[in-house]
Amino acid sequence: MRLYAVVAAGGFRRYATYRTATAAGVFTNTVFGFILAYTYIALWDARPQLGGYDMSQALAYVWIGQGLLAACAMMGGGFEDELMERIRTGDIAVDLYRPVDLQLWWLAGDLGRAAFQLLGRGVVPMLAGALAFDIALPGSAWIWPAFLLSVLLGIVVSFAVRFLVALSAFWLLDGAGATQMAWLLGLFFSGMLLPLPLFPGLLGEVARVLPWSSLLQIPADVFLGKYTGWELMEAYAFQGAWAVALLLAGRLLQSVATRRVVVQGG
Amino acid sequence: MDGFAQEATGAGGDGFGTLEDGFITLDGLEKVFQVRRRAGLLRRERHEVRAVDGISFQVARGEMVGYIGPNGAGKSTTIKMLTGILTPSGGSLRVAGIDPSRERTRLAHRIGVVFGQRTTLWWDLPLRDSYRLMHRMYRIPDGRYRENLDRCVELLDLGELLEVPVRQLSLGQRMRGDIAAALLHDPEVLYLDEPTIGLDVISKAKVRQFLKELNVERGTTVLLTTHDLTDIEQLCRRVMVIDHGRLMYDGSLAGLHEVGESERMLVVDLERELPPIELKSDGSGPGLRAVKVEGPRQWLAFPASASAAPLVARIAAQYPLMDLSVREPDIEAVIARMYRAAP
């Protein structure tokens, strides 16, 4: 366990070394947040109570999205590029002979990364949004830890999806196509562009049960107090179930990939 | 099959049980890759590549062995099987009594690996962070870790590099960093795959000196693949040559030169253009013949096992010698001659 703590701390520090990149990211998130916020204002002026959100909730949704964008890696940008590169170049061989579990290793590193990006790239855009706009904030203090737990589960789901994508490099060698596909799906189905309740009919229902809703839609709804009591447990259970299912799928794919490497050579 | 493997690992569990039979034992080891090649628009042809084709050898505890051969000979494939990241297609294999591919994780605690062209270090973080990681990964007791780190830092001259991010290190510094990382958990066996590749002369010397001391003081068994015969000359009493997945030679380096009839090259610059130099072998030493003449410069070949000094003395006595250098034979040339010498 201490090993994975060191790996997570390393993941945190690796991202912390790139201060300029972090500053640039914060700037982008903030600008992007302003653009989206004005778009939402126009939208909610025309259609108040759209999707069951009032204006201040819709604006809060925008800034939560910007705050979580990097941490939940909704547009990629986590460990997966590095892992795919290691698979492509064969450096993965080095990882395989070490006495560590590949998936846990990368999960720990990614949690460290997410922790840094939640602080480094999440807090400032949230503050900027709260100062510039009238956004809905949690009515009671317990919502904050409830929100953070939901974010944590979202990060694990995000990791599990990206782990699967990265392992595809064992077969595809060039994982760029898979990455872009995952990026597009993540951007849309996490609710990054528009909250999922706004999608009509079947599309909306499908979007809500896909794993990506764990990344933003559910944490944002927890923040906005949409879940109370038992509903909150159900929301966690939904996120947790996807996390477990996708992590198991990742394990399965990992053992197939490892066997392939072990038998077929790098 | 299972029962047999259990029994074998049980007997050699501590590594001492198999001392007589060799610490590393390969018996008819094979690795066959299935390669699919496009043979038409949709049709694909399967064919086999025998990367390792029946290799048997034993290495005793504390030995330092060179494992050489041309590119694609099967060296790295062998090393990968010895670490357990490749499963053999045939034959058997034991390292410290352990079957590597079955118990990769257990073996990992007892071996160290350095791939010259790959790194185990954390690219963006200071060297020290990677070592902290090794500390936890191999569950090294704190005292032991500190002791080993201090020792590596001292001998590999890493003191000023510990706080430097790995991406800022030079190749030689990174290689020293990687070697230290592979040794913190006191491995009994160290595999080095091209540890001096791309290093400058001073870095090479540092790495060799360190490996020599490691072998003497700790009795670490070392298996070294390299393209640099000087590595072997300075480190290994025993050398194995592999080509096309087969063991071509197993013995001393001097013996290899004899078998391969390898020659060293004396390059001399004379004062003026002269006919090719020819020295007959006589009581005072071996002969030598010119293989190439370019103006006042001549390339003179002589047996690799012979000493250059008496030859130089004879040339200097008979010819107007300005300058000279001695070139060592490279592995490819030695192996090529070995083929020609083979009946």
Side-chain angles (χ1 to χ4, degrees):
Chain A
M1 235 22 239
R2 282 178 81 179
L3 164 65
Y4 297 107
V6 175
V7 176
F12 187 97
R13 295 189 49 199
R14 288 180 68 179
Y15 281 85
T17 49
Y18 298 110
R19 295 203 185 117
T20 324
T22 305
V26 166
F27 180 74
T28 313
N29 283 151
T30 311
V31 171
F32 205 48
F34 270 95
I35 294 170
L36 267 184
Y38 285 118
T39 315
Y40 276 34
I41 288 174
L43 205 57
W44 261 262
D45 266 340
R47 301 273 303 274
Q49 295 299 322
L50 194 58
Y53 299 102
D54 62 28
M55 178 78 87
S56 67
Q57 286 178 325
L59 287 170
Y61 188 92
V62 167
W63 291 102
I64 294 166
Q66 290 309 310
L68 295 184
L69 183 69
C72 289
M74 273 175 269
M75 296 172 69
F79 70 98
E80 64 272 23
D81 299 332
E82 191 190 347
L83 177 53
M84 278 193 283
E85 185 64 14
R86 290 185 80 79
I87 294 170
R88 199 181 60 75
T89 58
D91 279 358
I92 194 75
V94 176
D95 303 335
L96 285 177
Y97 82 79
R98 302 207 260 198
V100 289
D101 180 82
L102 201 64
Q103 193 185 35
L104 280 178
W105 167 276
W106 289 102
L107 174 60
D110 200 52
L111 286 178
R113 173 203 62 81
F116 172 73
Q117 293 198 321
L118 201 59
L119 294 171
R121 286 188 58 178
V123 173
V124 175
M126 277 284 262
L127 277 177
L131 290 175
F133 298 91
D134 174 28
I135 72 171
L137 291 170
S140 57
W142 69 265
I143 290 219
W144 287 100
F147 168 66
L148 285 179
L149 177 58
S150 183
V151 169
L152 175 67
L153 288 167
I155 291 167
V156 176
V157 171
S158 163
F159 165 82
V161 172
R162 286 174 292 131
F163 188 70
L164 286 169
V165 171
L167 288 191
S168 73
F170 274 111
W171 290 270
L172 302 175
L173 289 181
D174 182 12
T179 317
Q180 276 174 15
M181 181 76 112
W183 171 79
L184 207 64
L185 288 171
L187 196 63
F188 189 75
F189 286 112
S190 61
M192 190 64 222
L193 293 177
L194 276 178
L196 301 180
L198 270 64
F199 294 154
L202 188 64
L203 179 63
E205 278 168 46
V206 171
R208 277 191 290 278
V209 297
L210 288 177
W212 290 282
S213 66
S214 302
L215 272 53
L216 173 59
Q217 186 65 49
I218 294 176
D221 280 344
V222 171
F223 185 90
L224 295 172
K226 297 266 176 194
Y227 299 110
T228 47
W230 194 243
E231 283 169 355
L232 184 61
M233 292 305 128
E234 277 178 3
Y236 288 153
F238 174 82
Q239 288 183 300
W242 267 123
V244 170
L246 290 168
L247 285 175
L248 286 177
R251 284 214 89 75
L252 196 69
L253 200 62
Q254 175 187 329
S255 71
V256 175
T258 317
R259 196 166 311 137
R260 185 185 139 91
V261 170
V262 161
V263 176
Q264 269 299 319
Chain B
M1 191 67 197
D2 253 326
F4 172 71
Q6 289 285 302
E7 201 182 325
T9 51
D14 60 1
F16 291 102
T18 48
L19 190 60
E20 295 82 20
D21 329 346
F23 195 54
I24 302 173
T25 308
L26 279 70
D27 190 11
L29 190 71
E30 286 178 17
K31 182 69 202 179
V32 182
F33 293 115
Q34 302 285 341
V35 179
R36 261 181 291 182
R37 203 185 275 163
R38 207 174 281 233
L41 194 58
L42 290 168
R43 211 159 52 86
R44 290 222 170 156
E45 239 168 36
R46 264 170 176 277
H47 72 126
E48 283 189 347
V49 175
R50 305 187 75 82
V52 173
D53 194 6
I55 289 187
S56 306
F57 64 75
Q58 298 192 340
V59 176
R61 186 182 266 269
E63 249 192 303
M64 207 160 176
V65 181
Y67 195 55
I68 62 176
N71 288 330
K75 296 177 305 231
S76 294
T77 308
T78 315
I79 299 260
K80 281 182 183 162
M81 284 193 274
L82 287 169
T83 57
I85 55 181
L86 272 183
T87 13
S89 321
S92 74
L93 172 64
R94 287 284 180 282
V95 177
I98 297 173
D99 180 345
S101 63
R102 271 173 191 278
E103 292 186 87
R104 186 166 70 209
T105 313
R106 196 160 83 91
L107 182 68
H109 286 275
R110 304 180 56 182
I111 62 173
V113 188
V114 178
F115 291 108
Q117 320 213 43
R118 311 196 185 288
T119 181
T120 54
L121 305 170
W122 249 334
W123 198 243
D124 323 73
L125 292 180
L127 209 44
R128 190 187 288 281
D129 287 86
S130 289
Y131 296 152
R132 215 169 271 150
L133 191 69
M134 300 297 157
H135 183 187
R136 295 302 164 211
M137 182 150 54
Y138 292 101
R139 297 194 194 91
I140 311 165
D142 292 356
R144 194 85 198 131
Y145 167 74
R146 235 167 288 130
E147 202 177 294
N148 284 344
L149 184 60
D150 288 349
R151 192 168 159 277
C152 285
V153 164
E154 192 197 319
L155 292 176
L156 285 168
D157 218 356
L158 294 172
E160 283 166 16
L161 306 177
L162 278 177
E163 308 305 331
V164 179
V166 173
R167 68 188 139 85
Q168 292 173 15
L169 298 180
S170 73
L171 186 62
Q173 292 170 333
R174 204 220 74 208
M175 181 64 69
R176 270 144 51 203
D178 255 312
I179 291 175
L183 291 170
L184 294 175
H185 61 290
D186 286 318
E188 295 154 78
V189 188
L190 183 63
Y191 305 125
L192 298 159
D193 195 2
E194 304 278 4
T196 57
I197 197 162
L199 301 194
D200 60 56
V201 183
I202 297 167
S203 299
K204 275 186 185 183
K206 266 185 196 167
V207 166
R208 286 179 193 139
Q209 184 57 33
F210 177 78
L211 293 175
K212 208 180 278 180
E213 284 173 23
L214 176 83
N215 178 252
V216 171
E217 286 171 21
R218 299 272 164 121
T220 310
T221 310
V222 179
L223 192 66
L224 172 80
T225 79
T226 184
H227 269 91
D228 189 340
L229 269 188
T230 321
D231 283 347
I232 309 278
E233 245 156 47
Q234 301 198 349
L235 295 174
C236 310
R237 237 173 285 157
R238 177 178 168 199
V239 56
M240 291 187 279
V241 180
I242 170 176
D243 195 22
H244 293 109
R246 287 169 180 279
L247 198 59
M248 305 290 297
Y249 175 83
D250 185 351
S252 68
L253 186 65
L256 176 65
H257 285 310
E258 261 165 48
V259 172
E261 292 176 334
S262 74
E263 292 178 319
R264 288 198 284 172
M265 201 68 75
L266 192 60
V267 184
V268 294
D269 287 332
L270 304 174
E271 261 173 27
R272 56 184 183 279
E273 212 166 314
L274 282 170
I277 297 172
E278 186 100 17
L279 292 182
K280 292 274 177 305
S281 74
D282 58 18
S284 63
L288 145 163
R289 67 195 154 80
V291 290
K292 189 174 161 194
V293 179
E294 225 180 75
R297 177 170 284 192
Q298 301 203 2
W299 280 259
L300 311 166
F302 65 98
S305 47
S307 164
L311 288 168
V312 173
R314 281 166 69 193
I315 293 169
Q318 297 173 28
Y319 296 90
L321 184 61
M322 298 282 289
D323 199 2
L324 66 91
S325 67
V326 179
R327 304 223 171 125
E328 298 298 321
D330 59 356
I331 286 173
E332 275 75 7
V334 172
I335 292 168
R337 278 205 206 79
M338 220 164 94
Y339 272 118
R340 258 181 268 146

